[in-house]
Amino acid sequence: MGKGDDQEGVVAGGFFWSYTDEPHASRRRQILSKYPQIKQLFGPDHSAFFKISGVVLLQLATGVLLKDAGWVKICLVAYFFGSFLNHNLFLAIHELSHNLAFSTPSLNRWLGIFANLPIGVPMSVTFQKYHLEHHRFQGVDGVDMDIPSLTEVHLVKNVVAKTIWVFLQLFFYALRPLFLKPKPPGCWEFVNFSIQIGLDVSMVYFFGWKSLAYLILSTFLGGGMHPMAGHFISEHYVFNPDQETYSYYGPLNYLTWHVGYHNEHHDFPRIPGNKLHLVKEIAPEFYDSLSCYRSWSQVIYMYIMDRTIGPFSRMKRKSSKAQ
């Protein structure tokens, strides 16, 4: 890398490399030092159980109602309606991975397994394991499984490949850690798997394959070329070499547990999504100068069309032990 070896944000191996710690811990300390009242925002969102229950029941009921529908109708309803519900539940599981519905971790896990039901594929327990590592070791090579693999970097290099990658990004997101950093399943994974498969089999037995197909289509259509799926790219893909986390301040936050407030979330993962806007209001000087987005659809378009952006547009760092 020559004379750029010691520089922040230098490009190597396709990725950006940082030789400093991730930015959120230090900003958290600065904000709490100046605004200690932010600690009052810590704690669970007591309305989460009711919001999740409503979405789960609505989505399952929709699947039942579509049991005799034609495939065109099922696909249209899945993309324009069910995808929003299932992506909402995916981000509810993200919220629960931080124990933000109940003070007791096991209750959050049970609610996560319940929220998982309409998604069709067991993932809530495993997601928590990898996601918490993403927070503790943001960008750390070989640890943070949110970062695309070298295979993705080598294959996804043009507009066509990036378009296909966006359509399939949920598959990459879900399967990447299982290939690159597999973890042995535990008791909670077995519970998650058993309950989910039980629900799937019951849907097929009582209502037919189309009901289950609607649920799974809602999951994967909503995780691909879909406005809500823009957050997968907007959160940490580097469009500005001086910044590795980006917030989105648009209307879809109301459907996505305010995950768009992503700098605020990484700074304060113990604050529930419905209060993250207060962090920005209390400490605006820490966030107003940061690049941000107003449209997730625009982020997807920029990602596909900009030849300088791709799966390699992520900030990596070596582990502290290696430094």
Side-chain angles (χ1 to χ4, degrees), residues 163-205:
T163 300
I164 295 171
W165 185 91
V166 169
F167 272 108
L168 301 177
Q169 65 179 318
L170 195 60
F171 287 95
F172 289 109
Y173 191 85
L175 297 177
R176 186 187 302 134
L178 302 182
F179 283 96
L180 298 183
K181 196 170 182 281
K183 296 177 180 289
C187 176
W188 280 103
E189 274 100 346
F190 176 76
V191 172
N192 188 187
F193 178 86
S194 300
I195 292 175
Q196 186 62 57
I197 298 303
L199 182 279
D200 293 349
V201 171
S202 297
M203 290 291 289
V204 173
Y205 181 81

Side-chain angles (χ1 to χ4, degrees), residues 155-167 225 300-311:
L155 293 178
V156 183
K157 292 185 174 181
N158 55 54
V159 170
V160 174
K162 285 195 283 185
T163 300
I164 295 171
W165 185 91
V166 169
F167 272 108
M225 191 69 74
I300 294 175
Y301 176 81
M302 291 190 300
Y303 173 83
I304 292 174
M305 300 307 296
D306 190 335
R307 289 185 297 176
T308 66
I309 302 296

